Amino acid sequence: MDDLTAIGDLLTGEAPVTWVFAGDSIVQAARWTAGARGYVELFSERVRYECGRFLDAVINTGVSGWRGANLAAHLDRAVLRHAPDVTVIGVGTNDAKDLSVAEFRAVLTPVIERVREAGSLVALQTPVPGPIAAIPAYAEAIRELAGELGAALVDHHARWQDADSRWYGDPVHPNAEGHRVMARTLVDALGVPERTIASDS
């Protein structure tokens, strides 16, 4: 069973799920949202409130400036100590500045393997487009890794090919609107159900 199918089973099951999001400033939603909720918080709202999965836990350990190597070095603290059922990884934007795709794959593959060995499913996210020339190649490498390793794929890069400039806080980072787009891409990619409780009156 691939990880996307298994995540779907978790979402339709009754057992609480621990979700850990790890990666860079875009995961963290640092600075560029002007205080608005980032996509991880919006995901939490959908899953824990709208879908009524009140005992799920959504943990964000993203750190501004992080690369794959930082995640590898601090994997115990950032991910494994939380005993996640699902780990959603978002790195690559910073790596693409000066690291080859082959080097990036060599760093990220053992991270995925360690997370899997700890009992977590994995979802890989592609970076949004930006001015860094290697980003498209990185996005393709992440797609390939997801396919090779059976991880779920959240393809922000593909969704943002017709990106509105109003989605960016700067040329690299999504703003509040961009994070709303990312949240929609995330819930669609993972098959999160539509809201299942009535709106507040």
Side-chain angles (χ1 to χ4, degrees):
M1 180 185 298
D2 62 36
D3 285 5
L4 180 58
T5 301
I7 289 169
D9 289 345
L10 291 178
L11 284 165
T12 57
E14 296 184 0
V17 176
T18 298
W19 309 80
V20 171
F21 287 75
D24 56 24
S25 60
I26 297 175
V27 177
Q28 186 182 2
R31 181 180 179 182
W32 297 104
T33 65
R37 287 193 281 185
Y39 77 91
V40 178
E41 291 174 287
L42 295 169
F43 175 84
S44 179
E45 174 83 355
R46 165 61 73 85
V47 170
R48 299 187 63 243
Y49 176 64
E50 293 181 3
C51 292
R53 300 187 57 82
F54 307 119
L55 295 181
D56 278 19
V58 179
I59 301 165
N60 186 345
T61 66
V63 179
S64 181
W66 264 24
R67 299 168 176 242
N70 299 110
L71 180 57
H74 300 285
L75 194 62
D76 287 336
R77 182 71 181 173
V79 175
L80 302 183
R81 74 187 179 107
H82 300 293
D85 298 295
V86 182
T87 302
V88 186
I89 297 173
V91 290
T93 298
N94 295 308
D95 305 78
K97 296 173 184 177
D98 53 21
L99 197 69
S100 73
V101 169
E103 291 170 318
F104 175 70
R105 286 179 57 108
V107 169
L108 193 57
T109 299
V111 167
I112 297 166
E113 291 171 345
R114 283 188 63 197
V115 171
R116 280 263 183 74
E117 289 167 0
S120 177
L121 304 170
V122 175
L124 300 180
Q125 303 181 94
T126 59
V128 301
I132 303 168
I135 286 290
Y138 266 67
E140 186 58 30
I142 291 168
R143 294 181 191 113
E144 291 171 356
L145 275 174
E148 292 166 10
L149 300 177
L153 176 66
V154 184
D155 200 345
H156 298 295
H157 191 268
R159 173 65 181 88
W160 283 54
Q161 288 307 299
D162 57 351
D164 190 313
S165 62
R166 290 173 295 180
W167 296 356
Y168 287 92
D170 76 347
V172 174
H173 297 88
N175 60 14
E177 180 61 25
H179 275 270
R180 286 191 284 272
V181 174
M182 292 185 73
R184 167 56 66 181
T185 303
L186 175 67
V187 300
D188 286 350
L190 297 186
V192 179
E194 294 297 324
R195 61 183 300 135
T196 56
I197 64 171
S199 299
D200 293 336
S201 57

